[in-house]
Amino acid sequence: MTTVPVRPPLVRSSDRMIAGVCSGLSAHLGWPVRMVRLGMAVAALAGGAGFVFYAWLWIMVPTADEAARRNARRPASPIAPAVSGPAVDSRPGSSPPVGGPTIPSATADAQLQPATFPSAMYDAGPSFQPTAAGAAPFTAGAAPGTASASAAGTGAWFRVRSMRYGKEILLGSGLLLVAGILIARLLGADVPLGTLIPAAAILGGAAIAWMQLDETRRAGLVDKTKADQAGGWARLAAGLALVVAGVLVMVSGSGSWEQTWLALLASVAVLGGVALVLLPWGLKFWRDLETERAGRVRETERAEIAAHLHDSVLQTLALIQRRAGNEHDVVRLARAQERELRGWLFKDPAKESGQLSDRIKAAAAEVEDGLGNAVDVVSVGDTVMTDRHEALVQASREAMLNASRHGGGPVSVYLEVSDGGVEVFVKDRGTGFELHTVPEDRLGVRESIIGRMKRHGGTADINSSPDGTEVRLRLPAAAAENGEGKP
Amino acid sequence: MSTPALDGTRAEGQGETVRVVIVDDHAIFRSGLKADLDPRVIVVGEAGTVEQAIEVIARTRPEVVLLDVHLPGGLGGGGREVIAGSAALLGATKFLALSVSDAAEDVVAVIRAGARGYVTKTISGTEITDAVFRVAGGDAVFSPRLAGFVLDAFGTAPADIADDELDKLSARELEVMRLIARGYSYKEVAKELFISIKTVETHVSAVLRKLQLSSRHELTKWAAERRLL
């Protein structure tokens, strides 16, 4: 079970002659595409088997685009990445879509997960062994477990696992059973084929239909595509046909082919008529369901946004109204709220924090909240934080504190990351000061800025005039981290 | 956001008046801005949508349009669309982009459409007035943040000496942009680099031209990547 070779997913390639089936197949199997095409052509001559196989793959295998789209988490609204990003991740069913044999993502999923659940593999495997009859109840029984919201990780893994090997084991055991029966007949044993075949047909058909139901319901929780539905309908129809045929043969009990064919034709005609009548209703019902589902998603998003706005913006607005007399407080509240709202609207949950610019901005926000003067950060380039950068951030923070405290006005911070190193400039428009007039016991500038930068191999210059003060911090790139400067 | 680059250092323009149109979809912001502006700035029209803006600008032919980047109406292009729709007037009418958005793609898009500068909506009335006069005089107005975007987009490595192609900034232009990004006013930049304010303005206008005309692949790619941030 663990030695399954890693293959690229089976998808219809865009490099195609007709529908991209052959090149997709060759990529999946690792065979030369010419051989696959030739084989398909030869098979087509053999009673049209190639045609049938090709058509079947055409219908069942998604194109590369479709597969990619299915795997992608599609935001439901423009701000959805910000709003529902983390929520989507924590929902149990939203890891890449569920799959039958035609859905490639199962491979990737299964590779990611197995280490976590070593025992489940062996629990799941044997349940499939006995017969098709044994497998069907199992699948049905597994549904509530996998669909339940609690067992997130286990559910995802288990579902993928069981679906992935269930089909093969089911098919294999079915074929083994048939072979066994044939051998038994050859050996002269009396096997009641008249009842066995229809019974097997009914069981097989029901199994196919039930598994389908089970799958679409799970898939429905996550994702929906036309291709899935088409495949689903085909499987449902196959299951239905098998069951109907089995029931007919069993009921008629004749075993005579003519009679069975006639009955089959009649029942299919009746079923077709019924389907024709019910189809519009079914479609309407389906559409209503879709509309309602979309509405519910929007509603959830709206509720989330409303909750956030209530917690943040409305509270701040209330505070601002109470302090309307104090301009300083109002500006401070408004700026803090603006920063928070921007962060919420435009943050990218996938983007890892721990970038230098994020830390500098956080330090600026902290100083701004503490002292009330605006601290504007402009950053060019970015890099991943290291210990040395930590020192730079601390020194910058100290410089911002001084600038805000003594400058008494807005502070400009400029961060530039290049291959050569990192530079931070902190500028205020205060009255300035002379470094040598600062008393020896005041450690702010001398120790926290200049000393700290020197200890980490950097430099700090302070350029002060009556028009303002600018602190220039420079940290050259260490030899080891050359080249990781600008992203 | 403070824009210290605009500290009223322009000698010309004093005592003169400038006719402006304010384009913004928030009436509260328009009236607040009108109250904040210097009496020398005469507001001759207002508009709240793309269509209104194009119509008002064509009718009143102002010297400067204070243009919000995000506007309803039209094809959804916002301020960019207003500039495109007023292309015939682009010589006589200058556009100054105002935005509450810090998003690089918004700002760069409207600059590339033809705006002569960009300031955030939070700057003071005096600063906006200065910016208006500067733009009316044919200069470009760069805030520290816009300078940061430019440095990010063009890279911080200077072009070769005899290289006047559009894809790179010269060493001097880079210096000017860096100083503006650090919060220097044009006057302070001039002092720091020992050049005249006029020369600073020339450099800034050259950068603006490069930003508007450069078709370099990296610039569009950069803007597209920013959308993900």
Side-chain angles (χ1 to χ4, degrees):
Chain A
M1 254 180 152
T2 49
T3 57
V4 179
V6 180
R7 292 186 188 287
L10 179 57
V11 291
R12 298 212 313 269
S13 163
S14 56
D15 164 32
R16 60 181 173 193
M17 303 269 284
I18 305 171
V21 166
C22 285
S23 46
L25 199 61
S26 76
H28 178 66
L29 296 174
W31 297 348
V33 65
R34 198 168 299 174
M35 265 185 60
V36 176
R37 285 194 174 128
L38 196 69
M40 200 66 94
V42 169
L45 294 177
F51 283 126
V52 177
F53 185 51
Y54 194 94
W56 183 66
L57 284 180
W58 191 345
I59 295 168
M60 303 295 280
V61 176
T63 63
D65 284 352
E66 281 168 351
R69 216 177 314 136
R70 204 179 305 175
N71 287 347
R73 289 197 192 97
R74 284 164 304 166
S77 83
I79 56 165
V83 177
S84 59
V88 166
D89 279 347
S90 63
R91 239 173 271 148
S94 60
S95 55
V98 197
T102 60
I103 296 176
S105 71
T107 321
D109 220 8
Q111 281 158 1
L112 286 176
Q113 310 243 15
T116 333
F117 307 97
S119 65
M121 186 191 299
Y122 299 106
D123 294 346
S127 323
F128 281 104
Q129 296 292 358
T131 55
F138 172 80
T139 322
T146 49
S148 84
S150 57
T154 322
W157 181 86
F158 185 73
R159 178 186 61 222
V160 166
R161 211 52 170 190
S162 63
M163 279 298 122
R164 200 168 158 221
Y165 295 107
K167 294 272 163 57
E168 283 83 349
I169 292 167
L170 203 134
L171 195 68
S173 43
L175 286 174
L176 278 177
L177 198 71
V178 170
I181 291 167
L182 283 178
I183 289 170
R185 267 172 66 90
L186 277 179
L187 292 176
D190 181 28
V191 183
L193 273 185
T195 42
L196 213 56
I197 289 178
I202 293 172
L203 284 174
I208 291 174
W210 284 344
M211 279 164 71
Q212 174 52 32
L213 180 73
D214 193 31
E215 231 169 67
T216 45
R217 203 180 62 195
R218 276 196 243 118
L221 293 172
V222 187
D223 192 7
K224 255 191 202 50
T225 61
K226 294 289 174 211
D228 244 4
Q229 286 168 26
W233 286 113
R235 268 178 276 176
L236 189 66
L240 205 63
L242 270 177
V243 171
V244 167
V247 168
L248 274 176
V249 172
M250 221 172 207
V251 169
S252 67
S254 66
S256 138
W257 281 110
E258 262 99 283
Q259 237 177 339
T260 311
W261 272 120
L262 272 178
L264 191 65
L265 205 64
S267 52
V268 165
V270 168
L271 277 177
V274 171
L276 197 67
V277 171
L278 290 184
L279 197 63
W281 293 33
L283 279 178
K284 186 181 176 312
F285 178 72
W286 182 254
R287 272 193 213 114
D288 287 354
L289 197 74
E290 289 282 286
T291 319
E292 197 203 306
R293 196 199 307 269
R296 222 167 31 228
V297 169
R298 269 199 303 275
E299 198 61 36
T300 314
E301 248 164 38
R302 225 187 88 80
E304 211 174 316
I305 293 169
H308 181 93
L309 291 184
H310 178 265
D311 289 349
S312 60
V313 178
L314 286 184
Q315 303 285 358
T316 308
L317 286 177
L319 263 176
I320 284 180
Q321 284 170 36
R322 289 231 309 266
R323 308 226 183 137
N326 187 337
E327 192 188 346
H328 192 72
D329 276 0
V330 169
V331 169
R332 184 150 100 184
L333 282 169
R335 280 191 64 93
Q337 182 55 56
E338 180 189 346
R339 202 170 48 233
E340 192 269 346
L341 195 58
R342 271 186 204 287
W344 185 67
L345 285 176
F346 302 123
K347 80 173 173 205
D348 182 358
K351 188 187 142 211
E352 55 171 319
S353 59
Q355 295 289 89
L356 178 60
S357 68
D358 289 343
R359 290 295 310 276
I360 295 272
K361 278 174 190 158
E366 203 183 308
V367 171
E368 188 174 298
D369 282 345
L371 295 172
N373 289 319
V375 181
D376 289 309
V377 180
V378 173
S379 66
V380 172
D382 211 342
T383 182
V384 181
M385 287 290 296
T386 64
D387 286 348
R388 295 174 71 230
H389 292 131
E390 188 62 45
L392 179 71
V393 170
Q394 292 303 328
S396 310
R397 186 174 170 279
E398 195 63 35
M400 291 180 222
L401 270 175
N402 281 332
S404 183
R405 195 178 289 142
H406 304 300
V411 178
S412 304
V413 179
Y414 173 62
L415 163 74
E416 183 177 312
V417 182
S418 61
D419 293 344
V422 184
E423 283 178 291
V424 176
F425 300 85
V426 179
K427 182 174 169 61
D428 68 63
R429 300 182 162 270
T431 49
F433 69 98
E434 297 279 330
L435 188 56
H436 62 259
T437 63
V438 176
E440 284 295 327
D441 58 333
R442 296 290 299 273
L443 295 179
V445 171
R446 215 164 264 132
E447 203 32 51
S448 302
I449 300 178
I450 301 176
R452 188 180 264 138
M453 289 308 292
K454 271 192 188 139
R455 275 199 299 282
H456 290 86
T459 54
D461 292 323
I462 293 166
N463 188 356
S464 191
S465 75
D467 293 334
T469 305
E470 188 177 45
V471 178
R472 305 170 188 187
L473 308 174
R474 188 177 153 70
L475 190 68
E481 51 177 37
N482 264 340
E484 62 142 358
K486 255 188 104 133
Chain B
M1 173 173 164
S2 76
T3 310
L6 321 164
D7 56 355
T9 49
R10 279 187 64 83
E12 64 266 30
Q14 305 292 327
E16 295 170 17
T17 57
V18 175
R19 300 167 68 246
V20 302
V21 164
I22 301 177
V23 180
D24 193 296
D25 54 328
H26 295 102
I28 296 181
F29 180 79
R30 290 203 303 264
S31 56
L33 181 59
K34 245 163 68 174
D36 266 359
L37 285 171
D38 196 278
R40 289 175 295 144
V41 178
I42 301 160
V43 179
V44 294
E46 289 178 37
T49 64
V50 172
E51 288 87 357
Q52 277 177 25
I54 294 175
E55 188 269 323
V56 169
I57 292 166
R59 183 159 47 78
T60 57
R61 302 191 169 240
E63 287 159 75
V64 176
V65 178
L66 289 169
L67 182 64
D68 189 7
V69 172
H70 292 281
L71 275 181
L75 304 170
R80 218 171 359 143
E81 214 179 317
V82 175
I83 300 179
S86 312
L89 302 168
L90 213 51
T93 299
K94 312 282 197 316
F95 290 85
L96 175 60
L98 276 177
S99 172
V100 74
S101 157
D102 278 345
E105 69 272 9
D106 290 343
V107 177
V108 173
V110 79
I111 293 282
R112 280 176 72 90
R116 298 288 301 168
Y118 149 81
V119 290
T120 47
K121 281 185 172 180
T122 47
I123 76 170
S124 73
T126 341
E127 287 170 328
I128 281 210
T129 307
D130 275 327
V132 166
F133 274 103
R134 201 177 280 284
V135 168
D139 290 323
V141 171
F142 271 39
S143 68
R145 200 169 296 276
L146 179 54
F149 291 158
V150 168
L151 288 170
D152 230 354
F154 282 93
T156 44
D160 296 335
I161 295 165
D163 199 356
D164 67 346
E165 59 171 330
L166 293 168
D167 289 355
K168 285 213 158 168
L169 303 184
S170 74
R172 205 54 156 176
E173 286 161 358
L174 275 176
E175 276 179 300
V176 171
M177 279 300 119
R178 266 210 194 94
L179 287 173
I180 292 175
R182 277 155 64 176
Y184 281 58
S185 67
Y186 285 13
K187 192 172 84 179
E188 287 168 322
V189 172
K191 197 172 142 205
E192 178 84 14
L193 299 179
F194 304 106
I195 53 180
S196 72
I197 294 183
K198 203 67 222 163
T199 315
V200 175
E201 285 168 352
T202 312
H203 284 310
V204 173
S205 293
V207 173
L208 184 82
R209 194 177 59 91
K210 287 186 181 178
L211 188 59
Q212 285 171 345
L213 297 183
S214 173
S215 59
R216 86 189 209 132
H217 172 63
E218 281 84 353
L219 195 61
T220 38
K221 199 179 115 222
W222 171 84
E225 277 169 5
R226 285 287 133 155
R227 204 150 301 188
L228 302 174
L229 288 179

